[in-house]
Amino acid sequence: MTTTDTSSPENVLPTPSHTVGPFYGYALPFRGGEEIAPLGHPDTITVHGYVTDGEGNPLPDALVELWGPRPDGTVPRVDGSIRRDPATGGYLGRNGVEFTGWGRIQTDADGHWYARTLRPGARGNSAPYLSVCVFARGLLVHLYTRIYLPDDEAALAADPLLTQVGERRGTLIAGDEGQGTYRFDIRLQGEGETVFLEYQ
C-alpha cells in the first residue's frame, strides 16, 4: 500500500474544477408558480420572455420571481402563494381566490418563462411595473430589475427610474404582443444587457 505525503505544498493536489453554482432547480420551483392571478380574473395579463447569457444563449435553469401590486396600485398583504398540507407537508397550490402578487417561474429548456398575473397599477410617481428577481447559475448574488408595461407613454416618460437610465430604458419596457400579452427578455450581460438595480 502506498500513501501520498500531503504535509508539504509540492505534494498537495489541486482542487478539481467544477461548474459554478449555485443551483436552484431542486427546492425553489413549485407547481403553479406562474399562475399568480386568480383564475378568470378580468385584469389578467400574460408576461413572458427568455433569459439569456452574454452570448445570447438561453439559460434553461434560471428562476424568475415576480412581485406586483393589484390593478389599483395597492400591495397585497395576504399569504397563500405556497400552501402546504399540514398533515403531509405536500404542496397544495394556490387557493385560487387571493392575489398575493408573487410568483416564481423556472425557465424551460429554451430559457423561456411566462407568468399570468394582474395588470399592475401605478404607485407614487412611477409608471406601472412588476418587480423582478433573477436567479441563475454563476450568479452568486441574484439580480433585480423591473418590467414596465408600454401602455401609457406619458407615465413612462415621467417615471423617475426610466429617466435616469437614458438610452437603456428600452431594456425595462416590455413589448406589447396584443390581447394582454407582453414580452420581456432578460439579458444578463453583453449587448442589450437588461438594466439591473441595486438596493441599498
Side-chain angles (χ1 to χ4, degrees):
M1 178 173 152
T2 56
T3 59
T4 303
D5 177 14
T6 58
S7 61
S8 62
E10 59 272 358
N11 293 331
V12 176
L13 298 175
T15 302
S17 64
H18 61 279
T19 303
V20 175
F23 303 101
Y24 298 104
Y26 171 66
L28 291 182
F30 65 97
R31 189 176 72 254
E34 68 280 353
E35 300 295 343
I36 304 169
L39 187 63
H41 196 288
D43 292 318
T44 299
I45 61 171
T46 299
V47 183
H48 76 103
Y50 293 84
V51 179
T52 58
D53 65 15
E55 296 178 350
N57 298 319
L59 295 181
D61 52 4
L63 289 176
V64 177
E65 284 190 357
L66 296 181
W67 295 277
R70 296 183 184 94
D72 64 4
T74 59
V75 177
R77 305 260 187 233
V78 296
D79 296 328
S81 292
I82 306 177
R83 296 180 314 131
R84 297 203 176 272
D85 184 320
T88 66
Y91 178 66
L92 292 175
R94 298 179 189 270
N95 67 13
V97 177
E98 301 290 348
F99 175 68
T100 64
W102 178 82
R104 181 183 293 148
I105 308 101
Q106 184 169 12
T107 57
D108 65 17
D110 297 321
H112 185 255
W113 64 275
Y114 79 93
R116 290 189 185 91
T117 188
L118 296 186
R119 180 178 299 280
R123 293 180 287 158
N125 295 327
S126 296
Y129 67 87
L130 298 168
S131 295
V132 181
C133 182
V134 180
F135 300 81
R137 67 175 115 154
L139 291 180
L140 301 180
V141 178
H142 40 277
L143 301 172
Y144 296 98
T145 189
R146 290 181 178 177
I147 301 173
Y148 287 90
L149 300 182
D151 304 327
D152 187 342
E153 190 53 49
L156 293 173
D159 184 89
L161 175 66
L162 291 177
T163 58
Q164 289 180 30
V165 298
E167 295 177 1
R168 295 184 61 203
R169 73 194 290 270
T171 69
L172 297 175
I173 302 172
D176 188 347
E177 297 186 329
Q179 298 182 334
T181 301
Y182 299 89
R183 178 166 173 177
F184 185 80
D185 294 334
I186 301 169
R187 179 117 186 211
L188 297 185
Q189 61 181 359
E191 186 177 346
E193 176 184 331
T194 302
V195 170
F196 295 106
L197 310 174
E198 182 176 308
Y199 293 100
Q200 299 177 350

mmCIF file of all heavy atoms in Angstrom, residues 98-138:
data_model
loop_
_atom_site.group_PDB
_atom_site.id
_atom_site.type_symbol
_atom_site.label_atom_id
_atom_site.label_comp_id
_atom_site.label_asym_id
_atom_site.label_seq_id
_atom_site.Cartn_x
_atom_site.Cartn_y
_atom_site.Cartn_z
ATOM 1 N N GLU A 98 -57.208 34.395 -3.499
ATOM 2 C CA GLU A 98 -56.377 35.515 -3.061
ATOM 3 C C GLU A 98 -55.314 35.851 -4.097
ATOM 4 O O GLU A 98 -54.707 34.958 -4.679
ATOM 5 C CB GLU A 98 -55.694 35.177 -1.727
ATOM 6 C CG GLU A 98 -56.643 34.848 -0.606
ATOM 7 C CD GLU A 98 -57.420 36.039 -0.113
ATOM 8 O OE1 GLU A 98 -57.073 37.191 -0.477
ATOM 9 O OE2 GLU A 98 -58.388 35.845 0.626
ATOM 10 N N PHE A 99 -55.095 37.130 -4.295
ATOM 11 C CA PHE A 99 -53.995 37.590 -5.148
ATOM 12 C C PHE A 99 -52.854 38.000 -4.236
ATOM 13 O O PHE A 99 -52.943 38.982 -3.511
ATOM 14 C CB PHE A 99 -54.444 38.760 -6.016
ATOM 15 C CG PHE A 99 -53.330 39.369 -6.833
ATOM 16 C CD1 PHE A 99 -52.751 38.654 -7.872
ATOM 17 C CD2 PHE A 99 -52.857 40.642 -6.562
ATOM 18 C CE1 PHE A 99 -51.722 39.197 -8.629
ATOM 19 C CE2 PHE A 99 -51.834 41.194 -7.313
ATOM 20 C CZ PHE A 99 -51.267 40.472 -8.343
ATOM 21 N N THR A 100 -51.755 37.238 -4.262
ATOM 22 C CA THR A 100 -50.604 37.543 -3.414
ATOM 23 C C THR A 100 -49.609 38.460 -4.118
ATOM 24 O O THR A 100 -48.748 39.040 -3.475
ATOM 25 C CB THR A 100 -49.872 36.254 -3.000
ATOM 26 O OG1 THR A 100 -49.337 35.633 -4.174
ATOM 27 C CG2 THR A 100 -50.803 35.295 -2.292
ATOM 28 N N GLY A 101 -49.712 38.542 -5.438
ATOM 29 C CA GLY A 101 -48.808 39.397 -6.184
ATOM 30 C C GLY A 101 -47.436 38.803 -6.423
ATOM 31 O O GLY A 101 -46.568 39.454 -6.987
ATOM 32 N N TRP A 102 -47.226 37.548 -6.018
ATOM 33 C CA TRP A 102 -45.887 36.951 -6.089
ATOM 34 C C TRP A 102 -45.924 35.612 -6.811
ATOM 35 O O TRP A 102 -46.860 34.824 -6.639
ATOM 36 C CB TRP A 102 -45.352 36.733 -4.679
ATOM 37 C CG TRP A 102 -44.003 36.086 -4.645
ATOM 38 C CD1 TRP A 102 -42.798 36.696 -4.800
ATOM 39 C CD2 TRP A 102 -43.717 34.696 -4.450
ATOM 40 N NE1 TRP A 102 -41.778 35.778 -4.713
ATOM 41 C CE2 TRP A 102 -42.317 34.542 -4.497
ATOM 42 C CE3 TRP A 102 -44.511 33.574 -4.257
ATOM 43 C CZ2 TRP A 102 -41.700 33.313 -4.351
ATOM 44 C CZ3 TRP A 102 -43.886 32.337 -4.114
ATOM 45 C CH2 TRP A 102 -42.493 32.227 -4.154
ATOM 46 N N GLY A 103 -44.888 35.363 -7.607
ATOM 47 C CA GLY A 103 -44.758 34.073 -8.266
ATOM 48 C C GLY A 103 -43.301 33.771 -8.556
ATOM 49 O O GLY A 103 -42.459 34.677 -8.613
ATOM 50 N N ARG A 104 -43.004 32.491 -8.731
ATOM 51 C CA ARG A 104 -41.643 32.056 -9.063
ATOM 52 C C ARG A 104 -41.743 31.085 -10.229
ATOM 53 O O ARG A 104 -42.497 30.121 -10.167
ATOM 54 C CB ARG A 104 -40.997 31.389 -7.861
ATOM 55 C CG ARG A 104 -39.566 30.940 -8.118
ATOM 56 C CD ARG A 104 -38.996 30.210 -6.917
ATOM 57 N NE ARG A 104 -38.832 31.097 -5.789
ATOM 58 C CZ ARG A 104 -38.960 30.704 -4.515
ATOM 59 N NH1 ARG A 104 -39.255 29.459 -4.235
ATOM 60 N NH2 ARG A 104 -38.795 31.558 -3.547
ATOM 61 N N ILE A 105 -40.973 31.360 -11.287
ATOM 62 C CA ILE A 105 -41.075 30.594 -12.513
ATOM 63 C C ILE A 105 -39.683 30.088 -12.908
ATOM 64 O O ILE A 105 -38.721 30.863 -12.931
ATOM 65 C CB ILE A 105 -41.622 31.469 -13.659
ATOM 66 C CG1 ILE A 105 -42.921 32.159 -13.247
ATOM 67 C CG2 ILE A 105 -41.815 30.643 -14.915
ATOM 68 C CD1 ILE A 105 -42.776 33.591 -12.843
ATOM 69 N N GLN A 106 -39.586 28.812 -13.241
ATOM 70 C CA GLN A 106 -38.338 28.264 -13.748
ATOM 71 C C GLN A 106 -38.365 28.311 -15.274
ATOM 72 O O GLN A 106 -39.395 28.015 -15.892
ATOM 73 C CB GLN A 106 -38.137 26.831 -13.277
ATOM 74 C CG GLN A 106 -36.804 26.249 -13.714
ATOM 75 C CD GLN A 106 -36.492 24.924 -13.038
ATOM 76 O OE1 GLN A 106 -37.349 24.327 -12.403
ATOM 77 N NE2 GLN A 106 -35.265 24.485 -13.177
ATOM 78 N N THR A 107 -37.239 28.682 -15.882
ATOM 79 C CA THR A 107 -37.174 28.691 -17.342
ATOM 80 C C THR A 107 -37.173 27.259 -17.864
ATOM 81 O O THR A 107 -36.741 26.333 -17.184
ATOM 82 C CB THR A 107 -35.917 29.429 -17.841
ATOM 83 O OG1 THR A 107 -34.759 28.818 -17.272
ATOM 84 C CG2 THR A 107 -35.960 30.898 -17.475
ATOM 85 N N ASP A 108 -37.664 27.094 -19.086
ATOM 86 C CA ASP A 108 -37.673 25.764 -19.689
ATOM 87 C C ASP A 108 -36.360 25.521 -20.440
ATOM 88 O O ASP A 108 -35.411 26.309 -20.331
ATOM 89 C CB ASP A 108 -38.895 25.577 -20.589
ATOM 90 C CG ASP A 108 -38.905 26.493 -21.812
ATOM 91 O OD1 ASP A 108 -37.847 27.063 -22.166
ATOM 92 O OD2 ASP A 108 -39.974 26.620 -22.434
ATOM 93 N N ALA A 109 -36.285 24.451 -21.220
ATOM 94 C CA ALA A 109 -35.050 24.079 -21.919
ATOM 95 C C ALA A 109 -34.591 25.149 -22.899
ATOM 96 O O ALA A 109 -33.403 25.226 -23.235
ATOM 97 C CB ALA A 109 -35.249 22.750 -22.646
ATOM 98 N N ASP A 110 -35.506 26.005 -23.353
ATOM 99 C CA ASP A 110 -35.161 27.075 -24.280
ATOM 100 C C ASP A 110 -34.910 28.407 -23.575
ATOM 101 O O ASP A 110 -34.790 29.443 -24.231
ATOM 102 C CB ASP A 110 -36.278 27.264 -25.312
ATOM 103 C CG ASP A 110 -36.474 26.031 -26.178
ATOM 104 O OD1 ASP A 110 -35.455 25.407 -26.552
ATOM 105 O OD2 ASP A 110 -37.634 25.680 -26.465
ATOM 106 N N GLY A 111 -34.901 28.401 -22.238
ATOM 107 C CA GLY A 111 -34.710 29.632 -21.489
ATOM 108 C C GLY A 111 -35.966 30.476 -21.394
ATOM 109 O O GLY A 111 -35.925 31.628 -20.963
ATOM 110 N N HIS A 112 -37.118 29.909 -21.781
ATOM 111 C CA HIS A 112 -38.376 30.656 -21.795
ATOM 112 C C HIS A 112 -39.093 30.575 -20.444
ATOM 113 O O HIS A 112 -39.051 29.561 -19.773
ATOM 114 C CB HIS A 112 -39.295 30.095 -22.891
ATOM 115 C CG HIS A 112 -40.555 30.873 -23.066
ATOM 116 N ND1 HIS A 112 -41.773 30.417 -22.622
ATOM 117 C CD2 HIS A 112 -40.786 32.082 -23.636
ATOM 118 C CE1 HIS A 112 -42.709 31.317 -22.920
ATOM 119 N NE2 HIS A 112 -42.130 32.329 -23.535
ATOM 120 N N TRP A 113 -39.761 31.652 -20.081
ATOM 121 C CA TRP A 113 -40.580 31.698 -18.868
ATOM 122 C C TRP A 113 -41.866 32.457 -19.205
ATOM 123 O O TRP A 113 -41.920 33.213 -20.165
ATOM 124 C CB TRP A 113 -39.830 32.413 -17.727
ATOM 125 C CG TRP A 113 -39.548 33.855 -18.017
ATOM 126 C CD1 TRP A 113 -38.479 34.369 -18.711
ATOM 127 C CD2 TRP A 113 -40.369 34.979 -17.679
ATOM 128 N NE1 TRP A 113 -38.579 35.726 -18.827
ATOM 129 C CE2 TRP A 113 -39.728 36.135 -18.191
ATOM 130 C CE3 TRP A 113 -41.575 35.128 -17.003
ATOM 131 C CZ2 TRP A 113 -40.252 37.409 -18.035
ATOM 132 C CZ3 TRP A 113 -42.103 36.404 -16.837
ATOM 133 C CH2 TRP A 113 -41.436 37.527 -17.358
ATOM 134 N N TYR A 114 -42.894 32.224 -18.401
ATOM 135 C CA TYR A 114 -44.114 33.017 -18.538
ATOM 136 C C TYR A 114 -44.823 33.076 -17.193
ATOM 137 O O TYR A 114 -44.621 32.224 -16.320
ATOM 138 C CB TYR A 114 -45.066 32.440 -19.600
ATOM 139 C CG TYR A 114 -45.870 31.262 -19.116
ATOM 140 C CD1 TYR A 114 -47.137 31.441 -18.565
ATOM 141 C CD2 TYR A 114 -45.360 29.969 -19.179
ATOM 142 C CE1 TYR A 114 -47.871 30.366 -18.099
ATOM 143 C CE2 TYR A 114 -46.092 28.895 -18.724
ATOM 144 C CZ TYR A 114 -47.341 29.094 -18.182
ATOM 145 O OH TYR A 114 -48.062 28.033 -17.709
ATOM 146 N N ALA A 115 -45.641 34.104 -17.045
ATOM 147 C CA ALA A 115 -46.456 34.240 -15.841
ATOM 148 C C ALA A 115 -47.772 34.898 -16.210
ATOM 149 O O ALA A 115 -47.824 35.752 -17.102
ATOM 150 C CB ALA A 115 -45.738 35.072 -14.787
ATOM 151 N N ARG A 116 -48.824 34.467 -15.522
ATOM 152 C CA ARG A 116 -50.130 35.128 -15.640
ATOM 153 C C ARG A 116 -50.370 35.844 -14.332
ATOM 154 O O ARG A 116 -50.442 35.226 -13.268
ATOM 155 C CB ARG A 116 -51.216 34.103 -15.917
ATOM 156 C CG ARG A 116 -51.109 33.500 -17.303
ATOM 157 C CD ARG A 116 -52.322 32.635 -17.664
ATOM 158 N NE ARG A 116 -52.098 31.991 -18.941
ATOM 159 C CZ ARG A 116 -51.546 30.783 -19.082
ATOM 160 N NH1 ARG A 116 -51.188 30.090 -18.032
ATOM 161 N NH2 ARG A 116 -51.370 30.271 -20.285
ATOM 162 N N THR A 117 -50.490 37.156 -14.421
ATOM 163 C CA THR A 117 -50.654 37.965 -13.217
ATOM 164 C C THR A 117 -51.679 39.057 -13.496
ATOM 165 O O THR A 117 -52.234 39.125 -14.601
ATOM 166 C CB THR A 117 -49.296 38.554 -12.766
ATOM 167 O OG1 THR A 117 -49.453 39.183 -11.491
ATOM 168 C CG2 THR A 117 -48.743 39.534 -13.780
ATOM 169 N N LEU A 118 -51.940 39.894 -12.514
ATOM 170 C CA LEU A 118 -52.855 41.016 -12.723
ATOM 171 C C LEU A 118 -52.082 42.212 -13.249
ATOM 172 O O LEU A 118 -50.908 42.408 -12.929
ATOM 173 C CB LEU A 118 -53.553 41.382 -11.412
ATOM 174 C CG LEU A 118 -54.467 40.317 -10.806
ATOM 175 C CD1 LEU A 118 -55.187 40.881 -9.595
ATOM 176 C CD2 LEU A 118 -55.460 39.784 -11.819
ATOM 177 N N ARG A 119 -52.757 42.999 -14.059
ATOM 178 C CA ARG A 119 -52.141 44.217 -14.585
ATOM 179 C C ARG A 119 -51.810 45.124 -13.396
ATOM 180 O O ARG A 119 -52.685 45.489 -12.611
ATOM 181 C CB ARG A 119 -53.117 44.920 -15.519
ATOM 182 C CG ARG A 119 -52.593 46.207 -16.130
ATOM 183 C CD ARG A 119 -53.625 46.793 -17.073
ATOM 184 N NE ARG A 119 -53.924 45.894 -18.174
ATOM 185 C CZ ARG A 119 -53.177 45.740 -19.257
ATOM 186 N NH1 ARG A 119 -52.081 46.447 -19.399
ATOM 187 N NH2 ARG A 119 -53.528 44.902 -20.218
ATOM 188 N N PRO A 120 -50.527 45.491 -13.228
ATOM 189 C CA PRO A 120 -50.174 46.309 -12.057
ATOM 190 C C PRO A 120 -50.663 47.740 -12.198
ATOM 191 O O PRO A 120 -50.670 48.308 -13.291
ATOM 192 C CB PRO A 120 -48.640 46.254 -12.052
ATOM 193 C CG PRO A 120 -48.268 46.043 -13.487
ATOM 194 C CD PRO A 120 -49.365 45.182 -14.068
ATOM 195 N N GLY A 121 -51.078 48.308 -11.072
ATOM 196 C CA GLY A 121 -51.452 49.712 -11.041
ATOM 197 C C GLY A 121 -50.262 50.574 -10.671
ATOM 198 O O GLY A 121 -49.265 50.083 -10.138
ATOM 199 N N ALA A 122 -50.358 51.858 -10.950
ATOM 200 C CA ALA A 122 -49.274 52.782 -10.641
ATOM 201 C C ALA A 122 -49.186 53.025 -9.143
ATOM 202 O O ALA A 122 -50.193 53.004 -8.436
ATOM 203 C CB ALA A 122 -49.491 54.102 -11.383
ATOM 204 N N ARG A 123 -47.958 53.242 -8.676
ATOM 205 C CA ARG A 123 -47.721 53.589 -7.274
ATOM 206 C C ARG A 123 -46.833 54.826 -7.230
ATOM 207 O O ARG A 123 -45.789 54.868 -7.864
ATOM 208 C CB ARG A 123 -47.034 52.439 -6.534
ATOM 209 C CG ARG A 123 -47.930 51.224 -6.395
ATOM 210 C CD ARG A 123 -47.224 50.105 -5.657
ATOM 211 N NE ARG A 123 -46.216 49.508 -6.527
ATOM 212 C CZ ARG A 123 -45.176 48.819 -6.091
ATOM 213 N NH1 ARG A 123 -44.978 48.642 -4.809
ATOM 214 N NH2 ARG A 123 -44.310 48.298 -6.945
ATOM 215 N N GLY A 124 -47.251 55.816 -6.479
ATOM 216 C CA GLY A 124 -46.464 57.045 -6.366
ATOM 217 C C GLY A 124 -46.269 57.703 -7.714
ATOM 218 O O GLY A 124 -47.190 57.795 -8.518
ATOM 219 N N ASN A 125 -45.036 58.137 -7.989
ATOM 220 C CA ASN A 125 -44.725 58.803 -9.261
ATOM 221 C C ASN A 125 -44.303 57.835 -10.349
ATOM 222 O O ASN A 125 -43.963 58.260 -11.451
ATOM 223 C CB ASN A 125 -43.589 59.828 -9.039
ATOM 224 C CG ASN A 125 -44.010 60.947 -8.119
ATOM 225 O OD1 ASN A 125 -45.176 61.350 -8.105
ATOM 226 N ND2 ASN A 125 -43.076 61.454 -7.335
ATOM 227 N N SER A 126 -44.282 56.546 -10.044
ATOM 228 C CA SER A 126 -43.806 55.552 -11.002
ATOM 229 C C SER A 126 -44.900 55.122 -11.960
ATOM 230 O O SER A 126 -46.070 55.044 -11.585
ATOM 231 C CB SER A 126 -43.283 54.311 -10.268
ATOM 232 O OG SER A 126 -42.169 54.625 -9.478
ATOM 233 N N ALA A 127 -44.494 54.800 -13.172
ATOM 234 C CA ALA A 127 -45.398 54.144 -14.107
ATOM 235 C C ALA A 127 -45.635 52.726 -13.597
ATOM 236 O O ALA A 127 -44.830 52.190 -12.831
ATOM 237 C CB ALA A 127 -44.772 54.118 -15.496
ATOM 238 N N PRO A 128 -46.723 52.063 -13.979
ATOM 239 C CA PRO A 128 -46.977 50.698 -13.515
ATOM 240 C C PRO A 128 -45.840 49.742 -13.909
ATOM 241 O O PRO A 128 -45.358 49.782 -15.043
ATOM 242 C CB PRO A 128 -48.276 50.314 -14.233
ATOM 243 C CG PRO A 128 -48.945 51.608 -14.529
ATOM 244 C CD PRO A 128 -47.825 52.576 -14.804
ATOM 245 N N TYR A 129 -45.406 48.906 -12.952
ATOM 246 C CA TYR A 129 -44.339 47.949 -13.236
ATOM 247 C C TYR A 129 -44.468 46.730 -12.338
ATOM 248 O O TYR A 129 -45.137 46.749 -11.306
ATOM 249 C CB TYR A 129 -42.953 48.581 -13.052
ATOM 250 C CG TYR A 129 -42.609 48.944 -11.625
ATOM 251 C CD1 TYR A 129 -42.025 48.009 -10.767
ATOM 252 C CD2 TYR A 129 -42.859 50.220 -11.131
ATOM 253 C CE1 TYR A 129 -41.706 48.333 -9.467
ATOM 254 C CE2 TYR A 129 -42.544 50.553 -9.834
ATOM 255 C CZ TYR A 129 -41.958 49.613 -9.000
ATOM 256 O OH TYR A 129 -41.656 49.936 -7.701
ATOM 257 N N LEU A 130 -43.808 45.656 -12.759
ATOM 258 C CA LEU A 130 -43.636 44.454 -11.958
ATOM 259 C C LEU A 130 -42.179 44.407 -11.519
ATOM 260 O O LEU A 130 -41.274 44.670 -12.313
ATOM 261 C CB LEU A 130 -43.951 43.202 -12.782
ATOM 262 C CG LEU A 130 -45.370 43.069 -13.316
ATOM 263 C CD1 LEU A 130 -45.448 41.943 -14.346
ATOM 264 C CD2 LEU A 130 -46.341 42.819 -12.172
ATOM 265 N N SER A 131 -41.948 44.081 -10.255
ATOM 266 C CA SER A 131 -40.583 43.894 -9.764
ATOM 267 C C SER A 131 -40.132 42.482 -10.108
ATOM 268 O O SER A 131 -40.922 41.535 -10.054
ATOM 269 C CB SER A 131 -40.527 44.099 -8.249
ATOM 270 O OG SER A 131 -40.838 45.428 -7.924
ATOM 271 N N VAL A 132 -38.857 42.337 -10.460
ATOM 272 C CA VAL A 132 -38.317 41.056 -10.906
ATOM 273 C C VAL A 132 -37.031 40.751 -10.149
ATOM 274 O O VAL A 132 -36.214 41.641 -9.913
ATOM 275 C CB VAL A 132 -37.996 41.092 -12.419
ATOM 276 C CG1 VAL A 132 -37.464 39.751 -12.898
ATOM 277 C CG2 VAL A 132 -39.204 41.512 -13.227
ATOM 278 N N CYS A 133 -36.866 39.486 -9.790
ATOM 279 C CA CYS A 133 -35.615 38.991 -9.223
ATOM 280 C C CYS A 133 -35.205 37.780 -10.051
ATOM 281 O O CYS A 133 -36.026 36.899 -10.320
ATOM 282 C CB CYS A 133 -35.806 38.610 -7.759
ATOM 283 S SG CYS A 133 -34.303 38.042 -6.959
ATOM 284 N N VAL A 134 -33.942 37.745 -10.489
ATOM 285 C CA VAL A 134 -33.448 36.672 -11.347
ATOM 286 C C VAL A 134 -32.384 35.875 -10.606
ATOM 287 O O VAL A 134 -31.421 36.450 -10.080
ATOM 288 C CB VAL A 134 -32.841 37.236 -12.651
ATOM 289 C CG1 VAL A 134 -32.340 36.105 -13.540
ATOM 290 C CG2 VAL A 134 -33.848 38.101 -13.382
ATOM 291 N N PHE A 135 -32.561 34.563 -10.563
ATOM 292 C CA PHE A 135 -31.572 33.637 -10.037
ATOM 293 C C PHE A 135 -31.067 32.813 -11.228
ATOM 294 O O PHE A 135 -31.868 32.352 -12.029
ATOM 295 C CB PHE A 135 -32.201 32.660 -9.041
ATOM 296 C CG PHE A 135 -32.845 33.301 -7.846
ATOM 297 C CD1 PHE A 135 -34.131 33.830 -7.920
ATOM 298 C CD2 PHE A 135 -32.186 33.347 -6.634
ATOM 299 C CE1 PHE A 135 -34.736 34.398 -6.824
ATOM 300 C CE2 PHE A 135 -32.788 33.911 -5.522
ATOM 301 C CZ PHE A 135 -34.058 34.438 -5.607
ATOM 302 N N ALA A 136 -29.764 32.612 -11.313
ATOM 303 C CA ALA A 136 -29.227 31.800 -12.414
ATOM 304 C C ALA A 136 -27.865 31.253 -12.023
ATOM 305 O O ALA A 136 -27.188 31.800 -11.149
ATOM 306 C CB ALA A 136 -29.117 32.628 -13.692
ATOM 307 N N ARG A 137 -27.471 30.175 -12.694
ATOM 308 C CA ARG A 137 -26.151 29.597 -12.424
ATOM 309 C C ARG A 137 -25.071 30.637 -12.690
ATOM 310 O O ARG A 137 -25.167 31.441 -13.615
ATOM 311 C CB ARG A 137 -25.931 28.370 -13.289
ATOM 312 C CG ARG A 137 -25.819 28.682 -14.745
ATOM 313 C CD ARG A 137 -25.486 27.451 -15.536
ATOM 314 N NE ARG A 137 -26.586 27.120 -16.415
ATOM 315 C CZ ARG A 137 -26.446 26.462 -17.528
ATOM 316 N NH1 ARG A 137 -25.278 26.040 -17.901
ATOM 317 N NH2 ARG A 137 -27.478 26.193 -18.274
ATOM 318 N N GLY A 138 -24.069 30.606 -11.862
ATOM 319 C CA GLY A 138 -22.980 31.556 -11.998
ATOM 320 C C GLY A 138 -23.241 32.892 -11.325
ATOM 321 O O GLY A 138 -22.325 33.683 -11.152
#
